[in-house]
């Protein structure tokens, strides 16, 4: 009675450990499943962009932090110079821009800039 369960367990173990001979039907099926996953899964399913590269939903200027903990401002505008000018006007005073990076949406359209500053 427990034999069919054992058979299924052994088969799953073989799939997980990839123990089929190259060129066998099972090997080809595993390869097709992996390739289908790679090419069919939409990018949005992973949502693995760092916070400073995400498009702000609300305000035109949003502050966040990069992977190293440094403050980053995301400014929604179409040109880098407009983003810098808008951020400087928003922060007031003298700020020095240390780095800028464009932020693109899922279609590859430029929608904002991430800006690092030094005070």
């Amino acid at each position: 009675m427990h034999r069919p369960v054992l058979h299924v367990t052994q088969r799953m173990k073989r799939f997980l450990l990839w123990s089929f001979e190259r060129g066998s039907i099972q090997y080809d099926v595993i390869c097709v499943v992996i390739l289908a996953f790679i090419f069919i899964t939409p990018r949005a399913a992973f949502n693995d962009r760092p916070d400073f590269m995400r498009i702000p939903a609300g305000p035109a200027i949003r502050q966040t932090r990069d992977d190293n903990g440094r403050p980053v401002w995301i400014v929604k505008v179409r040109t880098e110079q407009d983003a810098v000018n808008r951020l400087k006007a928003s922060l007031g005073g003298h700020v020095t821009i240390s780095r800028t990076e464009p932020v693109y949406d899922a279609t590859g359209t430029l929608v904002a800039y991430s800006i690092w500053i030094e005070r």
Side-chain angles (χ1 to χ4, degrees):
M1 222 179 237
H2 295 283
R3 194 154 177 82
V5 173
L6 182 61
H7 182 66
V8 170
T9 306
Q10 287 175 343
R11 187 170 288 203
M12 288 302 295
K13 183 178 176 182
R14 288 185 73 194
F15 271 106
L16 291 174
L17 297 177
W18 197 280
S19 62
F20 293 103
E21 291 294 322
R22 205 168 188 184
S24 68
I25 299 282
Q26 294 90 345
Y27 187 92
D28 292 344
V29 167
I30 292 172
C31 289
V32 167
V33 168
I34 291 170
L35 289 172
F37 175 77
I38 290 170
F39 292 109
I40 295 174
T41 306
R43 280 187 194 179
F46 298 106
N47 198 19
D48 62 348
R49 294 179 111 186
D51 194 42
F52 68 90
M53 293 301 289
R54 293 188 185 183
I55 304 159
I61 298 176
R62 174 175 67 99
Q63 183 182 3
T64 186
R65 297 209 174 265
D66 66 6
D67 296 337
N68 297 322
R70 293 180 298 232
V72 179
W73 280 263
I74 292 87
V75 183
K76 285 199 263 187
V77 289
R78 296 289 177 188
T79 68
E80 185 175 4
Q81 190 59 48
D82 287 345
V84 169
N85 292 340
R86 190 174 204 176
L87 180 62
K88 285 183 176 181
S90 165
L91 294 177
H94 180 69
V95 293
T96 303
I97 305 301
S98 62
R99 180 174 143 202
T100 62
E101 280 189 26
V103 178
Y104 300 96
D105 66 5
T107 64
T109 304
L110 176 68
V111 292
Y113 280 90
S114 296
I115 303 174
W116 287 257
I117 66 166
E118 295 175 11
R119 286 194 175 197

